[in-house]
Amino acid sequence: MGYQWWVFLHIAGAFVFLVAHGVSMGVSLQLRQERDPRRIMALLDVSSTSISGLYVGLVLLLTGGVVAGFVGDWWGQGWIWVALGTLVVVMILMYALASNYYKRLRLIVGAMAEGSEAVSEERLAELLSGPRPVILAVTGFGGLLFILYLMLFKPF
Amino acid sequence: MGYRTIMVGTDGSDTAVLAVRAVTRLAKRFGAVVHIVCAHGDGVDEQSAIEVLRYARESVRAEGVETKTHMRVGPAPAAIKELAARHGVDLIVVGNVGMGKARRFKLGGIAEQVAHEAPCDVLIIHTRDMDVAPDGGYRHLLVGTDGSATASEAARKGFELAEILGADVTLVHVGDPLVGAVVLEEAAKSRPGAAAVRGETLEGDPAGRIVEVAGRGEIDLVVVGNKGLAGTRRYILGSVPAKVAHESPVDVLIAKTVGRTVDDLAPGHGGLVDAGGRRLAVYRAEDGTITALSPRCQHMGCTVDWNDADRTWDCPCHGSRYDWEGRVIKGPAKRDLDPASLPPT
């Protein structure tokens, strides 16, 4: 398979990744405006459903990118290593920032949707309007923009 | 509560005598048989062991409790563990001597060795201050929970114990206050019986906070699960039950919630169990019927765990839920849990 096809696979994987993960990002930002536990649970479920697409996209873009790196003889240059490193760091960072936050949110709104009054609406509103979703969006989007810059301009 | 067979180790020391007294009192409440073990050859000679056993047996029988005695040559912890497994013991009682802070990482004390590898629940009797030891008559229980399935199992045992003893329960969650509020509410909701319950959410080191609450003078028994008590991790990080057992100013019940087998499941409850070298999600119905499932969530392959409040298998990763038979009741999973078969016994 030629170089162009591996790049094609890489970009197609990136599309799948962005479409799937875009759902989660959209949900996380929308949640800041929501206060109804049932709607919040429904949105979290939509986000969870898109997770499998995210992993499929990730596998495709990594496979395409790594092989294209060999076929195109890019592994001797710095930018591809930095791009790969950035992807790994962003993934670890986003997992650390997101997993506990959403697990916590899911537990709280799940209980509230079933009638729990353990957490007040004010405390839920405080949690939802916190900066975490924005930090996540900036980290993820910023990381991807930096990788795109490295791929296009190959500065080193 | 299934404490039908209780084992206590004695070497005739003050701490062991207190443990035997506590066992006697508990056995009377539960209608349990008491197995008394004395190991000789390690500081206790054979003649002394015979005397110690005779004295212990008579003191227990004097209270009308059925008693069996066992004498073994060799280390006491090994003898207790071996006999407990052989006689289907469901509670081992030991004194806490030798479990101070400085000895946390040593395997010296009998209590420590038994607690780390016991095949059942372990009650550690606090014997440092003989004058205030409650002697098995617990009125105020503290149950530590983090909302996990293993902690819920410890809470269930604590509630059942409280019900039998007529005690009240203080539920303590250490961690995020919002999560704590939900966890405490759910734990209290799922309690069997009508034991009085109050909750407390705290932040900081879980073991430290539990010990702090236990030290306020109202609590006479702390109940924790055994998660993290076995394996190499405890040597590096310690674990909540180990730290609580070492530092608690009152008695500690370490409920076996990890490393359970199908036999450990109470009717109407489920849990992850070890079966023939595999981990399975197993539910035991009220009539004793067993349903075994693969614990692998059909969405992304995370391990589901038992939710005692709703009687469901819940996936902690993305919130999929399955009923006790493994049927999907909430996505994102689309397929039921795979059935599994238990190895022949």
Side-chain angles (χ1 to χ4, degrees):
Chain A
M1 204 154 88
Y3 174 76
Q4 291 297 337
W5 279 110
W6 288 111
V7 175
F8 177 82
L9 183 68
H10 178 62
I11 294 170
F15 273 128
V16 175
F17 179 85
L18 284 171
V19 167
H21 213 26
V23 174
S24 294
M25 194 175 94
V27 164
S28 73
L29 294 173
Q30 178 60 29
L31 285 179
R32 303 188 80 217
Q33 320 300 323
E34 297 290 343
R35 295 296 177 266
D36 177 357
R38 287 178 194 279
R39 274 183 60 83
I40 295 169
M41 275 307 281
L43 283 168
L44 286 172
D45 287 346
V46 169
S47 174
S48 295
T49 311
S50 70
I51 295 286
S52 2
L54 178 158
Y55 287 113
V56 170
L58 193 63
V59 168
L60 290 179
L61 82 87
L62 274 173
T63 308
V66 169
V67 178
F70 282 113
V71 178
D73 205 17
W74 295 115
W75 287 106
Q77 297 190 16
W79 67 267
I80 193 168
W81 288 102
V82 176
L84 188 60
T86 304
L87 183 68
V88 171
V89 168
V90 167
M91 276 167 55
I92 292 170
L93 208 58
M94 290 192 72
Y95 182 81
L97 286 169
S99 61
N100 270 344
Y101 176 77
Y102 286 107
K103 205 177 273 184
R104 183 177 169 225
L105 187 60
R106 186 181 287 282
L107 177 84
I108 293 165
V109 293
M112 290 177 82
E114 287 172 11
S116 166
E117 291 176 357
V119 175
S120 66
E121 287 175 6
E122 290 74 28
R123 295 298 298 275
L124 176 65
E126 236 172 74
L127 178 66
L128 289 167
S129 56
R132 188 66 62 97
V134 178
I135 296 170
L136 280 164
V138 169
T139 307
F141 206 65
L144 287 181
L145 279 181
F146 182 59
I147 292 170
L148 186 63
Y149 159 77
L150 292 168
M151 285 167 59
L152 286 180
F153 295 99
K154 301 180 177 55
F156 40 82
Chain B
M1 191 90 178
Y3 293 145
R4 295 280 174 240
T5 315
I6 306 178
M7 180 166 281
V8 61
T10 180
D11 57 2
S13 63
D14 288 346
T15 179
V17 168
L18 199 63
V20 170
R21 268 167 46 195
V23 164
T24 308
R25 196 153 166 178
L26 284 173
K28 274 180 85 171
R29 287 275 196 157
F30 295 129
V33 176
V34 171
H35 289 251
I36 308 171
V37 181
C38 183
H40 64 86
D42 187 18
V44 181
D45 62 49
E46 189 175 356
Q47 193 53 42
S48 302
I50 291 168
E51 284 301 309
V52 162
L53 276 179
R54 189 183 57 77
Y55 174 78
R57 184 181 61 219
E58 282 172 9
S59 70
V60 176
R61 280 190 181 161
E63 296 292 326
V65 174
E66 190 183 339
T67 314
K68 289 177 181 169
T69 55
H70 309 270
M71 198 162 71
R72 286 287 184 278
V73 181
I80 291 171
K81 283 182 279 184
E82 180 247 313
L83 286 163
R86 184 188 298 177
H87 293 281
V89 166
D90 34 42
L91 177 68
I92 295 173
V93 181
V94 284
N96 75 333
V97 169
M99 290 192 75
K101 282 184 188 178
R103 301 187 64 169
R104 179 178 305 164
F105 301 107
K106 293 186 178 176
L107 278 171
I110 291 171
E112 179 142 7
Q113 288 189 53
V114 171
H116 284 304
E117 290 160 34
C120 58
D121 295 355
V122 176
L123 176 62
I124 299 171
I125 303 289
H126 191 270
T127 51
R128 287 191 199 106
D129 187 347
M130 300 288 189
D131 295 334
V132 296
D135 210 7
Y138 305 112
R139 309 296 300 168
H140 309 287
L141 274 54
L142 184 162
V143 178
T145 179
D146 60 4
S148 65
T150 53
S152 298
E153 174 63 11
R156 184 187 67 79
K157 287 189 176 184
F159 285 134
E160 288 184 358
L161 191 61
E163 184 75 7
I164 292 167
L165 299 175
D168 57 51
V169 175
T170 300
L171 275 170
V172 174
H173 177 276
V174 186
D176 180 80
L178 297 186
V179 171
V182 173
V183 164
L184 293 182
E185 186 188 59
E186 286 187 349
K189 200 170 65 183
S190 67
R191 77 185 190 276
V197 180
R198 73 183 185 91
E200 204 165 325
T201 56
L202 301 163
E203 290 181 82
D205 167 49
R209 294 286 90 78
I210 288 171
V211 169
E212 204 175 283
V213 176
R216 286 181 196 160
E218 301 155 3
I219 303 296
D220 43 33
L221 178 67
V222 175
V223 181
V224 286
N226 71 336
K227 190 176 181 180
L229 203 56
T232 51
R233 187 179 168 273
R234 68 190 159 100
Y235 294 110
I236 305 161
L237 299 172
S239 68
V240 172
K243 285 183 189 172
V244 170
H246 281 284
E247 296 170 21
S248 169
V250 298
D251 296 0
V252 177
L253 175 68
I254 299 178
K256 191 184 176 199
T257 57
V258 173
R260 291 187 297 165
T261 64
V262 175
D263 294 339
D264 294 321
L265 293 176
H269 296 274
L272 295 176
V273 301
D274 298 329
R278 285 187 306 156
R279 207 162 186 223
L280 298 179
V282 176
Y283 174 77
R284 182 190 291 274
E286 297 289 353
D287 65 2
T289 312
I290 298 288
T291 305
L293 303 160
S294 161
R296 195 169 183 274
C297 178
Q298 297 285 17
H299 176 224
M300 295 295 294
C302 297
T303 301
V304 298
D305 214 342
W306 179 248
N307 175 342
D308 215 32
D310 298 325
R311 302 203 168 195
T312 53
W313 295 104
D314 294 356
C315 178
C317 293
H318 302 108
S320 297
R321 294 181 101 179
Y322 307 83
D323 69 8
W324 61 271
E325 287 182 297
R327 288 183 297 237
V328 179
I329 50 176
K330 185 177 164 296
K334 291 185 176 67
R335 287 185 295 129
D336 299 343
L337 292 176
D338 290 329
S341 52
L342 290 168
T345 50

